[in-house]
Amino acid sequence: MTAGWSVVLDNFSPFVIAGPLTFVFHELVYFGAWVPWLVLDQIPYFNKYKIQPEKKADGAMVAKCLKRLLLSHVFIQLPMQLLFHWVAQFLGFSMALPLPPVRDLAWQLPAFFVIEDFYFYWIHRALHHKSVYKYVHKIHHEHTHPFGIAAEYAHPVETFFLGIGTLLGPLFFAKHMVTLWAWLFVRLWETVEDHSGYDLPWNPTNFIPFWGGAVHHDFHHKTFQGPYSSIFTWCDWAFGTDKMFRAQQKKLRDGKEGAYPAQFRGAPNFEALERERAKAKVA
Ligand SMILES: [Zn+2]
Ligand SMILES: [Zn+2]
């Protein structure tokens, strides 16, 4: 890692690292995080782990999404990264060696998730207020069955305000550019997975307590109702915005309910759907 970062330092100025290089890093991680889900789409076996197995994104949808992403990445995210760079410089952010110790990342990354989750919950909930929804957040909800890269498909105002949430944690607690890159890496994987449309029972994130995962956020895209959090389940539980989601999950499991939120992971969507169809036939 140290050798890799010294190559970066030797070849690029701090401005290039903070701007264009961070932009390229973001693009590689964001689209790279989509690849595993694209592969699953090609293998029929995995259809049973799709949250909405009967739905599939078509080519026109993906092309439209790519076009908007390109515009918002260049004209909103890149200027925000530069702005962050100047603010971070003012706050004493470093790019120099040595790299931040792993023990710092071990508490900072979870802390950034908690900070962003709380911020995201309230901004997202506000975006659903009827006086603003149709002007801004409606665009993100064009996808009722999201696919990986639909994560950042949004109105520029939304990209800006939610982007602040991503930078909040690093701004307060990080002291190094590599910490920001590490954070971008995990946060981008998380949000792409959130929109992947898949709920894999052996996904390692299933072991993270209170992790919402794709099943949590997919329900929001399908129904336009809560839950509003994108990372953890606790805000929706505490503020009572996940009642419909919990009821639906209970129904999918034939009324069985375990310890919240563990029972919502590895959803048996395919089996549940088959059961629903069989019941409908009998009726
Ligand atoms: Zn929403
Ligand atoms: Zn979404």
Side-chain angles (χ1 to χ4, degrees):
M1 272 293 278
T2 300
W5 190 249
S6 47
V7 171
V8 172
L9 290 177
D10 290 345
N11 290 287
F12 303 101
S13 68
F15 179 79
V16 173
I17 296 172
L21 218 58
T22 303
F23 177 78
V24 170
F25 178 78
H26 171 278
E27 296 306 283
L28 288 176
V29 176
Y30 185 69
F31 290 103
W34 185 35
V35 173
W37 308 109
L38 275 178
V39 172
L40 294 199
D41 275 343
Q42 309 311 313
I43 308 169
Y45 170 80
F46 290 103
N47 198 47
K48 63 180 168 192
Y49 298 121
K50 279 201 79 168
I51 299 162
Q52 301 183 57
E54 71 284 18
K55 301 279 175 62
K56 206 173 185 302
D58 60 41
M61 233 179 200
V62 176
K64 190 181 172 196
C65 180
L66 283 168
K67 202 172 135 198
R68 181 175 277 275
L69 285 176
L70 190 74
L71 291 173
S72 98
H73 286 181
V74 174
F75 294 108
I76 308 290
Q77 290 192 4
L78 185 56
M80 279 184 82
Q81 277 158 15
L82 290 172
L83 202 68
F84 175 84
H85 169 58
W86 284 310
V87 176
Q89 248 182 349
F90 178 75
L91 293 175
F93 226 66
S94 159
M95 288 193 189
L97 289 169
L99 294 178
V102 173
R103 64 169 185 279
D104 282 0
L105 291 180
W107 71 264
Q108 283 170 346
L109 298 181
F112 298 168
F113 270 124
V114 172
I115 292 166
E116 175 159 13
D117 186 59
F118 188 78
Y119 173 91
F120 183 99
Y121 176 82
W122 288 106
I123 297 289
H124 184 200
R125 210 173 145 174
L127 286 171
H128 274 270
H129 191 276
K130 59 181 183 306
S131 60
V132 289
Y133 176 79
K134 63 177 181 288
Y135 301 109
V136 180
H137 193 48
K138 196 172 185 268
I139 291 177
H140 185 65
H141 277 282
E142 278 176 29
H143 301 120
T144 52
H145 47 100
F147 48 96
I149 51 163
E152 290 184 351
Y153 180 85
H155 189 281
V157 169
E158 178 171 337
T159 303
F160 177 76
F161 278 103
L162 293 181
I164 290 174
T166 305
L167 298 175
L168 263 187
L171 213 46
F172 282 112
F173 296 108
K175 287 275 168 274
H176 203 283
M177 195 67 190
V178 166
T179 308
L180 181 73
W181 280 29
W183 164 237
L184 275 181
F185 185 86
V186 289
R187 174 63 175 123
L188 290 171
W189 271 88
E190 180 274 332
T191 191
V192 171
E193 190 217 311
D194 232 20
H195 292 83
S196 66
Y198 284 92
D199 189 24
L200 302 174
W202 55 81
N203 188 328
T205 58
N206 290 358
F207 296 101
I208 302 173
F210 305 105
W211 193 259
V215 72
H216 203 240
H217 193 62
D218 198 283
F219 184 81
H220 174 67
H221 274 270
K222 188 181 170 187
T223 61
F224 306 92
Q225 305 286 330
Y228 297 107
S229 273
S230 79
I231 301 164
F232 299 107
T233 52
W234 52 56
C235 282
D236 286 288
W237 180 78
F239 301 114
T241 42
D242 64 353
K243 290 192 173 74
M244 267 180 65
F245 170 72
R246 294 174 69 178
Q248 183 249 16
Q249 289 296 314
K250 202 171 166 181
K251 200 174 143 206
L252 281 178
R253 283 164 178 71
D254 265 352
K256 284 191 225 81
E257 198 168 1
Y260 183 81
Q263 84 259 24
F264 299 149
R265 307 315 312 274
N269 303 296
F270 188 72
E271 289 88 338
L273 221 93
E274 291 288 293
R275 265 201 316 272
E276 289 294 308
R277 282 184 189 134
K279 265 187 212 162
K281 258 184 211 161
V282 172

